[in-house]
Amino acid sequence: MSYSDEVAIIGMAGRFPGAKNVSEFWQNLCAGVESVRFFEEEELRSHNIEDELLQHPDYVKAKAVLNDIDLFDASFFSISPREAEIIDPQHRLFLECAWEALEDAGYDPDKYDGQIGVYAGASISTYLLNILQAGLSDSFNYFDLLIGNDKDHLATRVCYKFNLRGPSVSVQTACSTSLVAVHLACQSLLNGESDIVLAGGSTIMIPQNIGYLYQEGGILSPDGHCRTFDSQSVGTVSGNGIGIVVLKRLDDALADRDCIHAVVKGSAINNDGALKLGYTAPSIDGQTQVISEALAISSVKAETIGYVEAHGTGTKLGDPIEISALTTAFRASTEQKEFCAIGSVKTNIGHLDVASGVTGLIKTALAIKHKLLPPSLHFQEPNPKIDFANSPFYVNTHLKPWETNGTPRRAGTSSFGFGGTNAHVILEESPVVESSGPSRPWQLLVISAKTQSALETATKNLTNYLKASPHICFADAAYTLQVGRQAFDYRRFLVCQNLADSLNILEANAPSRIFNRHSNSEEFSVAFMFPGQGSQYIDMA
């Protein structure tokens, strides 16, 4: 069967409030964790927030914070400490996540023959603004500051550091940026410009540990909670995060036996134009059209969609418009009521601005992969302007199995930006892939890193992964470690028969069965050899 118009998600990576990777993010979603921090006044004072502002009745002491934004493995990317100091954390952590995403997909860019591209965007560089406001710009070269912080250099830096030769495009459409990047990446694949594409977004607004001043009618919540679709919903809360997906044509992914998390059946983007209340206001017509177009391109019926990850900012204006647009789009093919679950990741981690769309997509892909519907938080009574009872939707408020009636699991993901650029993506679960055939009785597990300490961490990470994945095909895991990872100077390998055998060796740290090369205590000399044949002469070396 041919899937010539479909795209596979073969890798994912990210950093999210309360989660340092995609796995922790999914665990938090399933557990219904709200990863919003509420600050003590002393902490806010330490960030120079004045008492007058702290005592203001509309000052909200909350934000969805991203941990460890000051940490960056500069030497791994051959970046000097001075250069790293200049680069915006949005770019630094996006670089790390891009590497993690390719590893998750099982591809070493140095070994891959095809074209790998990058479509991505970042938020405004508040890091640069802080440098300028603090009067530190004279300490740096202006050109270096520009390259280290400007949005234009997010995607191209990844291509430069990884030697990627596909399209490298910075995408900027405000809140919808990263989902628009996914759409454009899919087009690049389907047009044959790329063979693999990384798509995503990065938002880190600095300083992090401060609140905000609530303004009535704005997008931000008066209490730091996002209650999407609820009668008490009056806005969202800001958050920081990074998300990246690795995309590949589905036919190629199946042929190459990639791990497929979900399939992009189709996607669409458009703009509201001028027929709405204001530049930042949403539009029913614009949203309806983009959702309808994505459904049409996907060639799926609305009644087969089991979940929609909404833009869901939790505003009194935006939520009713979004449900109205979705209902209109779905009603073109079905009159069924309350059959499709709906939710918003913003109730968990706030609004990640540029990174919000791809974050919603990652959540949806994980839900499809694990066949579970995670809860949308803080929903008790529906917004009185939303008639869920006569719509195709219901708000899913608890973790539950995603049941189907024989059709593949399908979902939609929306993202809408200030200025009116809308994006909608239709996902479907992966087609059934034949399991690997019989493997050899012994397997070789290889691990490498750039330093001894990193090698120990990589070994620990592998051990934890194997312990948490009792149902993996062990031979496939060994194969991916051999061909899907770049080989570095510090190396370790073990020969084992199965998963249990490998864990026994790793957890016991058995020196007789774990073999290392290039430790800190070893020195490797270089010899120049000049063979005979009578061509030597004095001082030739």
Side-chain angles (χ1 to χ4, degrees):
M1 183 175 179
S2 175
Y3 300 94
S4 57
D5 294 329
E6 298 176 26
V7 171
I9 299 175
I10 63 169
M12 298 186 288
R15 312 278 177 86
F16 310 98
K20 64 177 181 288
N21 53 46
V22 168
S23 177
E24 289 187 3
F25 176 56
W26 176 245
Q27 292 171 18
N28 287 347
L29 292 176
C30 290
V33 174
E34 182 188 39
S35 299
V36 176
R37 275 196 59 190
F38 291 85
F39 309 115
E40 298 292 337
E41 288 193 1
E42 285 306 312
E43 182 178 5
L44 293 168
R45 287 192 182 95
S46 71
H47 289 87
N48 300 318
I49 305 300
E50 297 178 357
D51 283 345
E52 182 180 358
L53 184 58
L54 287 176
Q55 303 308 318
H56 195 289
D58 291 330
Y59 186 73
V60 184
K61 307 176 181 71
K63 191 170 185 178
V65 171
L66 190 64
N67 292 329
D68 300 329
I69 65 168
D70 56 327
L71 304 182
F72 176 58
D73 195 348
S75 61
F76 182 89
F77 300 102
S78 301
I79 293 175
S80 70
R82 179 65 170 176
E83 183 183 1
E85 188 179 13
I86 294 172
I87 298 173
D88 189 326
Q90 294 183 116
H91 295 236
R92 295 183 216 156
L93 270 66
F94 188 85
L95 196 59
E96 291 187 341
C97 287
W99 185 268
E100 293 167 6
L102 278 173
E103 284 202 332
D104 186 64
Y107 282 95
D108 174 0
D110 283 350
K111 296 176 184 175
Y112 185 65
D113 292 334
Q115 296 278 53
I116 302 178
V118 180
Y119 286 76
S123 294
I124 186 173
S125 179
T126 53
Y127 187 70
L128 176 60
L129 293 177
N130 277 283
I131 289 175
L132 297 175
Q133 289 175 355
L136 299 175
S137 58
D138 292 341
S139 304
F140 303 106
N141 177 279
Y142 172 78
F143 192 62
D144 292 340
L145 273 177
L146 181 67
I147 291 175
N149 292 271
D150 190 76
K151 297 174 178 181
D152 285 359
H153 306 291
L154 181 75
T156 50
R157 178 178 282 106
V158 173
C159 289
Y160 172 66
K161 287 298 178 181
F162 299 176
N163 191 29
L164 310 182
R165 299 177 183 272
S168 184
V169 181
S170 292
V171 181
Q172 296 303 148
T173 62
C175 316
S176 60
T177 291
S178 56
L179 202 62
V180 171
V182 170
H183 168 79
L184 296 175
C186 290
Q187 298 305 305
S188 178
L189 288 164
L190 298 175
N191 291 336
E193 293 176 333
S194 308
D195 300 296
I196 291 176
V197 185
L198 284 75
S202 180
T203 293
I204 301 177
M205 308 297 275
I206 297 171
Q208 282 203 107
N209 298 349
I210 60 171
Y212 57 89
L213 198 61
Y214 167 71
Q215 293 180 318
E216 188 174 355
I219 193 174
L220 296 177
S221 160
D223 62 1
H225 299 289
C226 180
R227 298 178 172 84
T228 304
F229 307 127
D230 190 76
S231 60
Q232 301 301 311
S233 62
V234 279
T236 186
V237 59
S238 295
N240 288 335
I242 299 158
I244 301 176
V245 292
V246 183
L247 305 170
K248 191 177 184 181
R249 287 181 291 272
L250 180 56
D251 280 338
D252 293 343
L254 291 169
D256 295 337
R257 304 186 66 81
D258 293 319
C259 175
I260 301 173
H261 301 288
V263 173
V264 178
K265 291 285 288 183
S267 61
I269 60 173
N270 72 357
N271 192 275
D272 295 333
L275 298 180
K276 55 181 183 177
L277 291 176
Y279 177 73
T280 62
S283 161
I284 292 179
D285 289 343
Q287 292 180 21
T288 301
Q289 289 166 11
V290 79
I291 296 162
S292 299
E293 185 179 350
L295 285 167
I297 290 170
S298 303
S299 299
V300 301
K301 295 180 179 179
E303 58 264 31
T304 66
I305 304 290
Y307 177 72
V308 170
E309 173 63 23
H311 182 65
T313 51
T315 60
K316 289 192 177 297
L317 174 66
D319 285 358
I321 285 178
E322 183 164 10
I323 295 300
S324 178
L326 279 163
T327 299
T328 302
F330 274 48
R331 283 287 177 253
S333 65
T334 180
E335 293 297 323
Q336 293 185 45
K337 298 178 181 179
E338 295 187 283
F339 65 89
C340 181
I342 195 167
S344 172
V345 74
K346 292 178 179 66
T347 63
N348 301 90
I349 59 172
H351 190 355
L352 303 192
D353 192 50
V354 159
S356 61
V358 73
T359 300
L361 188 77
I362 289 171
K363 172 190 171 182
T364 308
L366 290 168
I368 289 174
K369 178 181 177 179
H370 294 286
K371 300 177 175 59
L372 292 170
L373 291 171
S376 194
L377 308 183
H378 309 310
F379 181 81
Q380 294 179 334
E381 295 290 335
N383 184 314
K385 294 183 179 179
I386 299 176
D387 184 10
F388 278 117
N390 290 304
S391 82
F393 309 102
Y394 67 93
V395 180
N396 187 60
T397 58
H398 61 279
L399 180 68
K400 68 176 185 178
W402 187 340
E403 305 290 354
T404 65
N405 57 0
T407 60
R409 289 169 181 81
R410 291 172 179 156
T413 301
S414 291
S415 189
F416 312 129
F418 279 173
T421 295
N422 308 308
H424 192 78
V425 176
I426 304 294
L427 293 184
E428 182 178 281
E429 63 184 325
S430 170
V432 177
V433 179
E434 280 188 45
S435 59
S436 300
S439 61
R440 59 175 67 94
W442 292 86
Q443 300 296 334
L444 179 69
L445 294 188
V446 297
I447 314 167
S448 74
K450 289 193 174 184
T451 64
Q452 185 63 42
S453 61
L455 182 64
E456 298 303 328
T457 299
T459 304
K460 182 179 178 181
N461 290 342
L462 176 62
T463 304
N464 291 338
Y465 172 77
L466 295 175
K467 288 171 67 176
S469 310
H471 302 300
I472 63 165
C473 175
F474 187 65
D476 287 352
Y479 175 80
T480 301
L481 287 172
Q482 292 171 45
V483 304
R485 298 290 184 271
Q486 196 167 118
F488 301 120
D489 289 342
Y490 289 80
R491 304 182 185 184
R492 174 171 292 157
F493 70 91
L494 58 146
V495 180
C496 45
Q497 289 185 288
N498 50 46
L499 181 63
D501 187 30
S502 69
L503 287 172
N504 287 336
I505 298 168
L506 289 166
E507 293 189 303
N509 195 23
S512 61
R513 299 187 66 185
I514 297 180
F515 304 92
N516 297 288
R517 193 202 76 126
H518 196 311
S519 68
N520 286 337
S521 62
E522 293 174 325
E523 294 289 340
F524 292 93
S525 57
V526 177
F528 291 89
M529 300 182 69
F530 302 93
Q533 305 300 324
S535 59
Q536 295 90 345
Y537 52 89
I538 294 174
D539 293 334
M540 66 178 287

